[in-house]
PDB file of all heavy atoms in Angstrom:
ATOM      1  N   LYS A 578     -24.053   1.066  23.004  1.00  0.00           N
ATOM      2  CA  LYS A 578     -25.163   1.161  23.949  1.00  0.00           C
ATOM      3  C   LYS A 578     -25.747  -0.230  24.182  1.00  0.00           C
ATOM      4  O   LYS A 578     -25.815  -1.039  23.263  1.00  0.00           O
ATOM      5  CB  LYS A 578     -26.230   2.114  23.418  1.00  0.00           C
ATOM      6  CG  LYS A 578     -25.742   3.541  23.253  1.00  0.00           C
ATOM      7  CD  LYS A 578     -26.839   4.435  22.697  1.00  0.00           C
ATOM      8  CE  LYS A 578     -26.345   5.863  22.526  1.00  0.00           C
ATOM      9  NZ  LYS A 578     -27.392   6.753  21.951  1.00  0.00           N
ATOM     10  N   LYS A 579     -26.207  -0.458  25.402  1.00  0.00           N
ATOM     11  CA  LYS A 579     -26.599  -1.819  25.774  1.00  0.00           C
ATOM     12  C   LYS A 579     -27.721  -2.360  24.896  1.00  0.00           C
ATOM     13  O   LYS A 579     -27.600  -3.450  24.306  1.00  0.00           O
ATOM     14  CB  LYS A 579     -27.003  -1.851  27.244  1.00  0.00           C
ATOM     15  CG  LYS A 579     -27.279  -3.272  27.746  1.00  0.00           C
ATOM     16  CD  LYS A 579     -27.502  -3.279  29.245  1.00  0.00           C
ATOM     17  CE  LYS A 579     -27.705  -4.711  29.738  1.00  0.00           C
ATOM     18  NZ  LYS A 579     -27.907  -4.772  31.194  1.00  0.00           N
ATOM     19  N   LYS A 580     -28.833  -1.630  24.775  1.00  0.00           N
ATOM     20  CA  LYS A 580     -29.972  -2.156  24.027  1.00  0.00           C
ATOM     21  C   LYS A 580     -29.667  -2.241  22.536  1.00  0.00           C
ATOM     22  O   LYS A 580     -29.853  -3.284  21.897  1.00  0.00           O
ATOM     23  CB  LYS A 580     -31.210  -1.285  24.250  1.00  0.00           C
ATOM     24  CG  LYS A 580     -32.456  -1.836  23.553  1.00  0.00           C
ATOM     25  CD  LYS A 580     -33.654  -0.941  23.770  1.00  0.00           C
ATOM     26  CE  LYS A 580     -34.911  -1.552  23.147  1.00  0.00           C
ATOM     27  NZ  LYS A 580     -34.729  -1.920  21.733  1.00  0.00           N
ATOM     28  N   THR A 581     -29.181  -1.112  21.971  1.00  0.00           N
ATOM     29  CA  THR A 581     -28.865  -1.079  20.541  1.00  0.00           C
ATOM     30  C   THR A 581     -27.783  -2.091  20.202  1.00  0.00           C
ATOM     31  O   THR A 581     -27.871  -2.808  19.193  1.00  0.00           O
ATOM     32  CB  THR A 581     -28.417   0.321  20.124  1.00  0.00           C
ATOM     33  OG1 THR A 581     -29.404   1.282  20.536  1.00  0.00           O
ATOM     34  CG2 THR A 581     -28.243   0.412  18.615  1.00  0.00           C
ATOM     35  N   GLY A 582     -26.753  -2.152  21.035  1.00  0.00           N
ATOM     36  CA  GLY A 582     -25.649  -3.073  20.790  1.00  0.00           C
ATOM     37  C   GLY A 582     -26.071  -4.523  20.899  1.00  0.00           C
ATOM     38  O   GLY A 582     -25.630  -5.373  20.107  1.00  0.00           O
ATOM     39  N   THR A 583     -26.930  -4.815  21.873  1.00  0.00           N
ATOM     40  CA  THR A 583     -27.406  -6.192  22.020  1.00  0.00           C
ATOM     41  C   THR A 583     -28.222  -6.609  20.800  1.00  0.00           C
ATOM     42  O   THR A 583     -28.073  -7.724  20.289  1.00  0.00           O
ATOM     43  CB  THR A 583     -28.256  -6.319  23.293  1.00  0.00           C
ATOM     44  OG1 THR A 583     -27.455  -5.954  24.431  1.00  0.00           O
ATOM     45  CG2 THR A 583     -28.745  -7.749  23.468  1.00  0.00           C
ATOM     46  N   ASP A 584     -29.101  -5.717  20.341  1.00  0.00           N
ATOM     47  CA  ASP A 584     -29.892  -6.012  19.139  1.00  0.00           C
ATOM     48  C   ASP A 584     -28.980  -6.240  17.932  1.00  0.00           C
ATOM     49  O   ASP A 584     -29.233  -7.134  17.110  1.00  0.00           O
ATOM     50  CB  ASP A 584     -30.856  -4.858  18.845  1.00  0.00           C
ATOM     51  CG  ASP A 584     -31.956  -4.737  19.891  1.00  0.00           C
ATOM     52  OD1 ASP A 584     -32.191  -5.728  20.615  1.00  0.00           O
ATOM     53  OD2 ASP A 584     -32.561  -3.654  19.988  1.00  0.00           O
ATOM     54  N   TRP A 585     -27.923  -5.447  17.841  1.00  0.00           N
ATOM     55  CA  TRP A 585     -26.992  -5.576  16.711  1.00  0.00           C
ATOM     56  C   TRP A 585     -26.233  -6.898  16.782  1.00  0.00           C
ATOM     57  O   TRP A 585     -26.031  -7.566  15.777  1.00  0.00           O
ATOM     58  CB  TRP A 585     -26.020  -4.395  16.715  1.00  0.00           C
ATOM     59  CG  TRP A 585     -25.080  -4.357  15.560  1.00  0.00           C
ATOM     60  CD1 TRP A 585     -25.355  -3.926  14.293  1.00  0.00           C
ATOM     61  CD2 TRP A 585     -23.710  -4.737  15.562  1.00  0.00           C
ATOM     62  NE1 TRP A 585     -24.232  -4.021  13.505  1.00  0.00           N
ATOM     63  CE2 TRP A 585     -23.201  -4.523  14.263  1.00  0.00           C
ATOM     64  CE3 TRP A 585     -22.844  -5.238  16.534  1.00  0.00           C
ATOM     65  CZ2 TRP A 585     -21.882  -4.794  13.912  1.00  0.00           C
ATOM     66  CZ3 TRP A 585     -21.536  -5.505  16.193  1.00  0.00           C
ATOM     67  CH2 TRP A 585     -21.070  -5.285  14.890  1.00  0.00           C
ATOM     68  N   LEU A 586     -25.825  -7.285  17.992  1.00  0.00           N
ATOM     69  CA  LEU A 586     -25.099  -8.544  18.153  1.00  0.00           C
ATOM     70  C   LEU A 586     -25.973  -9.745  17.816  1.00  0.00           C
ATOM     71  O   LEU A 586     -25.463 -10.786  17.374  1.00  0.00           O
ATOM     72  CB  LEU A 586     -24.586  -8.661  19.593  1.00  0.00           C
ATOM     73  CG  LEU A 586     -23.411  -7.744  19.975  1.00  0.00           C
ATOM     74  CD1 LEU A 586     -23.135  -7.856  21.471  1.00  0.00           C
ATOM     75  CD2 LEU A 586     -22.166  -8.070  19.179  1.00  0.00           C
ATOM     76  N   LEU A 587     -27.278  -9.612  18.017  1.00  0.00           N
ATOM     77  CA  LEU A 587     -28.189 -10.730  17.766  1.00  0.00           C
ATOM     78  C   LEU A 587     -28.568 -10.883  16.296  1.00  0.00           C
ATOM     79  O   LEU A 587     -29.216 -11.861  15.928  1.00  0.00           O
ATOM     80  CB  LEU A 587     -29.467 -10.557  18.606  1.00  0.00           C
ATOM     81  CG  LEU A 587     -29.283 -10.693  20.125  1.00  0.00           C
ATOM     82  CD1 LEU A 587     -30.579 -10.381  20.845  1.00  0.00           C
ATOM     83  CD2 LEU A 587     -28.770 -12.081  20.494  1.00  0.00           C
ATOM     84  N   ILE A 588     -28.168  -9.934  15.458  1.00  0.00           N
ATOM     85  CA  ILE A 588     -28.443 -10.055  14.021  1.00  0.00           C
ATOM     86  C   ILE A 588     -27.680 -11.273  13.489  1.00  0.00           C
ATOM     87  O   ILE A 588     -26.483 -11.429  13.739  1.00  0.00           O
ATOM     88  CB  ILE A 588     -28.010  -8.786  13.266  1.00  0.00           C
ATOM     89  CG1 ILE A 588     -28.842  -7.591  13.732  1.00  0.00           C
ATOM     90  CG2 ILE A 588     -28.174  -8.962  11.755  1.00  0.00           C
ATOM     91  CD1 ILE A 588     -28.389  -6.268  13.152  1.00  0.00           C
ATOM     92  N   PRO A 589     -28.335 -12.163  12.752  1.00  0.00           N
ATOM     93  CA  PRO A 589     -27.685 -13.394  12.280  1.00  0.00           C
ATOM     94  C   PRO A 589     -26.663 -13.139  11.179  1.00  0.00           C
ATOM     95  O   PRO A 589     -26.941 -13.290   9.996  1.00  0.00           O
ATOM     96  CB  PRO A 589     -28.864 -14.236  11.775  1.00  0.00           C
ATOM     97  CG  PRO A 589     -29.921 -13.243  11.404  1.00  0.00           C
ATOM     98  CD  PRO A 589     -29.770 -12.109  12.380  1.00  0.00           C
ATOM     99  N   ALA A 590     -25.486 -12.740  11.587  1.00  0.00           N
ATOM    100  CA  ALA A 590     -24.355 -12.555  10.674  1.00  0.00           C
ATOM    101  C   ALA A 590     -23.088 -12.705  11.495  1.00  0.00           C
ATOM    102  O   ALA A 590     -23.067 -12.401  12.692  1.00  0.00           O
ATOM    103  CB  ALA A 590     -24.408 -11.190   9.992  1.00  0.00           C
ATOM    104  N   SER A 591     -22.031 -13.169  10.863  1.00  0.00           N
ATOM    105  CA  SER A 591     -20.770 -13.381  11.585  1.00  0.00           C
ATOM    106  C   SER A 591     -20.070 -12.050  11.838  1.00  0.00           C
ATOM    107  O   SER A 591     -20.386 -11.018  11.229  1.00  0.00           O
ATOM    108  CB  SER A 591     -19.851 -14.299  10.777  1.00  0.00           C
ATOM    109  OG  SER A 591     -19.393 -13.644   9.606  1.00  0.00           O
ATOM    110  N   SER A 592     -19.096 -12.086  12.735  1.00  0.00           N
ATOM    111  CA  SER A 592     -18.306 -10.877  13.025  1.00  0.00           C
ATOM    112  C   SER A 592     -17.606 -10.373  11.774  1.00  0.00           C
ATOM    113  O   SER A 592     -17.542  -9.162  11.531  1.00  0.00           O
ATOM    114  CB  SER A 592     -17.283 -11.181  14.125  1.00  0.00           C
ATOM    115  OG  SER A 592     -17.908 -11.547  15.322  1.00  0.00           O
ATOM    116  N   PHE A 593     -17.068 -11.292  10.971  1.00  0.00           N
ATOM    117  CA  PHE A 593     -16.378 -10.885   9.756  1.00  0.00           C
ATOM    118  C   PHE A 593     -17.340 -10.231   8.770  1.00  0.00           C
ATOM    119  O   PHE A 593     -16.987  -9.247   8.108  1.00  0.00           O
ATOM    120  CB  PHE A 593     -15.694 -12.082   9.102  1.00  0.00           C
ATOM    121  CG  PHE A 593     -14.999 -11.739   7.807  1.00  0.00           C
ATOM    122  CD1 PHE A 593     -13.787 -11.065   7.807  1.00  0.00           C
ATOM    123  CD2 PHE A 593     -15.571 -12.077   6.586  1.00  0.00           C
ATOM    124  CE1 PHE A 593     -13.155 -10.730   6.614  1.00  0.00           C
ATOM    125  CE2 PHE A 593     -14.951 -11.760   5.395  1.00  0.00           C
ATOM    126  CZ  PHE A 593     -13.744 -11.077   5.404  1.00  0.00           C
ATOM    127  N   GLU A 594     -18.541 -10.765   8.643  1.00  0.00           N
ATOM    128  CA  GLU A 594     -19.523 -10.187   7.725  1.00  0.00           C
ATOM    129  C   GLU A 594     -19.934  -8.789   8.173  1.00  0.00           C
ATOM    130  O   GLU A 594     -20.080  -7.884   7.343  1.00  0.00           O
ATOM    131  CB  GLU A 594     -20.735 -11.104   7.632  1.00  0.00           C
ATOM    132  CG  GLU A 594     -20.440 -12.396   6.883  1.00  0.00           C
ATOM    133  CD  GLU A 594     -21.468 -13.473   7.117  1.00  0.00           C
ATOM    134  OE1 GLU A 594     -22.324 -13.316   8.011  1.00  0.00           O
ATOM    135  OE2 GLU A 594     -21.399 -14.510   6.430  1.00  0.00           O
ATOM    136  N   LYS A 595     -20.097  -8.595   9.465  1.00  0.00           N
ATOM    137  CA  LYS A 595     -20.435  -7.268   9.980  1.00  0.00           C
ATOM    138  C   LYS A 595     -19.274  -6.301   9.777  1.00  0.00           C
ATOM    139  O   LYS A 595     -19.482  -5.134   9.431  1.00  0.00           O
ATOM    140  CB  LYS A 595     -20.811  -7.361  11.456  1.00  0.00           C
ATOM    141  CG  LYS A 595     -22.116  -8.105  11.690  1.00  0.00           C
ATOM    142  CD  LYS A 595     -22.419  -8.264  13.176  1.00  0.00           C
ATOM    143  CE  LYS A 595     -23.746  -9.000  13.377  1.00  0.00           C
ATOM    144  NZ  LYS A 595     -24.065  -9.211  14.808  1.00  0.00           N
ATOM    145  N   PHE A 596     -18.063  -6.785   9.999  1.00  0.00           N
ATOM    146  CA  PHE A 596     -16.862  -5.976   9.766  1.00  0.00           C
ATOM    147  C   PHE A 596     -16.757  -5.583   8.297  1.00  0.00           C
ATOM    148  O   PHE A 596     -16.552  -4.405   7.959  1.00  0.00           O
ATOM    149  CB  PHE A 596     -15.631  -6.765  10.205  1.00  0.00           C
ATOM    150  CG  PHE A 596     -14.342  -6.324   9.573  1.00  0.00           C
ATOM    151  CD1 PHE A 596     -13.690  -5.182  10.000  1.00  0.00           C
ATOM    152  CD2 PHE A 596     -13.783  -7.062   8.529  1.00  0.00           C
ATOM    153  CE1 PHE A 596     -12.500  -4.776   9.405  1.00  0.00           C
ATOM    154  CE2 PHE A 596     -12.597  -6.673   7.939  1.00  0.00           C
ATOM    155  CZ  PHE A 596     -11.957  -5.519   8.379  1.00  0.00           C
ATOM    156  N   LEU A 597     -16.914  -6.543   7.387  1.00  0.00           N
ATOM    157  CA  LEU A 597     -16.794  -6.268   5.962  1.00  0.00           C
ATOM    158  C   LEU A 597     -17.873  -5.305   5.492  1.00  0.00           C
ATOM    159  O   LEU A 597     -17.605  -4.390   4.695  1.00  0.00           O
ATOM    160  CB  LEU A 597     -16.877  -7.578   5.175  1.00  0.00           C
ATOM    161  CG  LEU A 597     -16.695  -7.482   3.649  1.00  0.00           C
ATOM    162  CD1 LEU A 597     -15.348  -6.860   3.305  1.00  0.00           C
ATOM    163  CD2 LEU A 597     -16.827  -8.874   3.024  1.00  0.00           C
ATOM    164  N   SER A 598     -19.080  -5.469   5.987  1.00  0.00           N
ATOM    165  CA  SER A 598     -20.165  -4.561   5.626  1.00  0.00           C
ATOM    166  C   SER A 598     -19.866  -3.147   6.097  1.00  0.00           C
ATOM    167  O   SER A 598     -20.103  -2.170   5.368  1.00  0.00           O
ATOM    168  CB  SER A 598     -21.476  -5.055   6.242  1.00  0.00           C
ATOM    169  OG  SER A 598     -22.531  -4.168   5.950  1.00  0.00           O
ATOM    170  N   MET A 599     -19.342  -3.015   7.300  1.00  0.00           N
ATOM    171  CA  MET A 599     -18.991  -1.697   7.829  1.00  0.00           C
ATOM    172  C   MET A 599     -17.946  -1.013   6.954  1.00  0.00           C
ATOM    173  O   MET A 599     -18.056   0.183   6.638  1.00  0.00           O
ATOM    174  CB  MET A 599     -18.464  -1.827   9.268  1.00  0.00           C
ATOM    175  CG  MET A 599     -18.143  -0.505   9.939  1.00  0.00           C
ATOM    176  SD  MET A 599     -17.443  -0.716  11.610  1.00  0.00           S
ATOM    177  CE  MET A 599     -18.852  -1.412  12.475  1.00  0.00           C
ATOM    178  N   VAL A 600     -16.937  -1.763   6.540  1.00  0.00           N
ATOM    179  CA  VAL A 600     -15.891  -1.203   5.687  1.00  0.00           C
ATOM    180  C   VAL A 600     -16.465  -0.774   4.336  1.00  0.00           C
ATOM    181  O   VAL A 600     -16.148   0.313   3.821  1.00  0.00           O
ATOM    182  CB  VAL A 600     -14.750  -2.226   5.491  1.00  0.00           C
ATOM    183  CG1 VAL A 600     -13.745  -1.715   4.455  1.00  0.00           C
ATOM    184  CG2 VAL A 600     -14.044  -2.492   6.810  1.00  0.00           C
ATOM    185  N   LEU A 601     -17.325  -1.607   3.745  1.00  0.00           N
ATOM    186  CA  LEU A 601     -17.910  -1.279   2.447  1.00  0.00           C
ATOM    187  C   LEU A 601     -18.810  -0.041   2.533  1.00  0.00           C
ATOM    188  O   LEU A 601     -18.789   0.822   1.645  1.00  0.00           O
ATOM    189  CB  LEU A 601     -18.704  -2.467   1.916  1.00  0.00           C
ATOM    190  CG  LEU A 601     -17.889  -3.702   1.519  1.00  0.00           C
ATOM    191  CD1 LEU A 601     -18.811  -4.835   1.084  1.00  0.00           C
ATOM    192  CD2 LEU A 601     -16.907  -3.358   0.397  1.00  0.00           C
ATOM    193  N   VAL A 602     -19.593   0.041   3.579  1.00  0.00           N
ATOM    194  CA  VAL A 602     -20.471   1.204   3.746  1.00  0.00           C
ATOM    195  C   VAL A 602     -19.643   2.481   3.910  1.00  0.00           C
ATOM    196  O   VAL A 602     -19.907   3.503   3.270  1.00  0.00           O
ATOM    197  CB  VAL A 602     -21.414   1.010   4.952  1.00  0.00           C
ATOM    198  CG1 VAL A 602     -22.134   2.316   5.291  1.00  0.00           C
ATOM    199  CG2 VAL A 602     -22.426  -0.077   4.653  1.00  0.00           C
ATOM    200  N   CYS A 603     -18.632   2.414   4.778  1.00  0.00           N
ATOM    201  CA  CYS A 603     -17.829   3.612   5.074  1.00  0.00           C
ATOM    202  C   CYS A 603     -16.925   4.016   3.912  1.00  0.00           C
ATOM    203  O   CYS A 603     -16.718   5.219   3.670  1.00  0.00           O
ATOM    204  CB  CYS A 603     -16.969   3.370   6.317  1.00  0.00           C
ATOM    205  SG  CYS A 603     -17.897   3.299   7.863  1.00  0.00           S
ATOM    206  N   CYS A 604     -16.375   3.029   3.190  1.00  0.00           N
ATOM    207  CA  CYS A 604     -15.335   3.325   2.193  1.00  0.00           C
ATOM    208  C   CYS A 604     -15.851   3.330   0.753  1.00  0.00           C
ATOM    209  O   CYS A 604     -15.113   3.762  -0.145  1.00  0.00           O
ATOM    210  CB  CYS A 604     -14.197   2.310   2.311  1.00  0.00           C
ATOM    211  SG  CYS A 604     -13.295   2.429   3.858  1.00  0.00           S
ATOM    212  N   ILE A 605     -17.068   2.867   0.519  1.00  0.00           N
ATOM    213  CA  ILE A 605     -17.598   2.861  -0.845  1.00  0.00           C
ATOM    214  C   ILE A 605     -18.933   3.595  -0.933  1.00  0.00           C
ATOM    215  O   ILE A 605     -19.078   4.563  -1.674  1.00  0.00           O
ATOM    216  CB  ILE A 605     -17.742   1.420  -1.375  1.00  0.00           C
ATOM    217  CG1 ILE A 605     -16.368   0.761  -1.477  1.00  0.00           C
ATOM    218  CG2 ILE A 605     -18.436   1.419  -2.736  1.00  0.00           C
ATOM    219  CD1 ILE A 605     -16.385  -0.663  -2.004  1.00  0.00           C
TER     220      ILE A 605
END
Side-chain angles (χ1 to χ4, degrees):
K578 297 179 180 179
K579 186 173 183 179
K580 183 181 184 307
T581 307
T583 301
D584 292 341
W585 184 79
L586 288 173
L587 292 175
I588 296 174
S591 69
S592 298
F593 178 76
E594 289 163 350
K595 292 176 179 178
F596 158 77
L597 183 58
S598 178
M599 183 183 293
V600 173
L601 292 177
V602 169
C603 289
C604 294
I605 296 181

